[in-house]
Amino acid sequence: MSTIKRFIAGAVCPRCGAMDRLRTWEQNETRYRDCVSCDFFEQQAIEEPPTLEELSTRVNAPRDEPARDEVQPVRILDPGKRH
């Protein structure tokens, strides 16, 4: 089975400066790219991005539940009275 090489749209070759001449492919846990206009060739090991812990926000942080035995008085306002 042959490896499919794809051109990178809008990419500029770091060596010759030609646009739309870079192609890329992956093989055996390695990413490759080369230029069809010059002899530029590069390879990189494919690494899994590190998994980051979710940042604590007000949405996902545990809530402080109010004490159930705490009594709070309620003040009823008369809408007809103005102070």
Side-chain angles (χ1 to χ4, degrees):
M1 185 171 139
S2 65
T3 303
I4 298 173
K5 297 179 181 181
R6 293 187 164 96
F7 281 93
I8 307 170
V12 176
C13 175
R15 181 167 294 152
C16 69
M19 183 182 275
D20 295 333
R21 301 289 185 187
L22 285 179
R23 59 186 180 171
T24 185
W25 68 97
E26 295 177 2
Q27 191 173 23
N28 298 331
E29 305 286 327
T30 307
R31 179 174 294 131
Y32 300 95
R33 69 179 186 159
D34 69 348
C35 179
V36 296
S37 293
C38 69
D39 61 347
F40 172 76
F41 178 79
E42 181 180 62
Q43 66 183 27
Q44 288 181 321
I46 299 174
E47 299 176 3
E48 291 293 322
T51 56
L52 300 175
E53 292 183 27
E54 185 176 11
L55 295 175
S56 179
T57 64
R58 65 179 177 85
V59 175
N60 64 6
R63 294 183 185 180
D64 293 333
E65 294 291 326
R68 299 265 180 219
D69 58 349
E70 193 175 304
V71 178
Q72 296 179 352
V74 177
R75 182 176 164 204
I76 301 174
L77 302 175
D78 184 3
K81 284 187 173 181
R82 298 212 176 206
H83 294 279

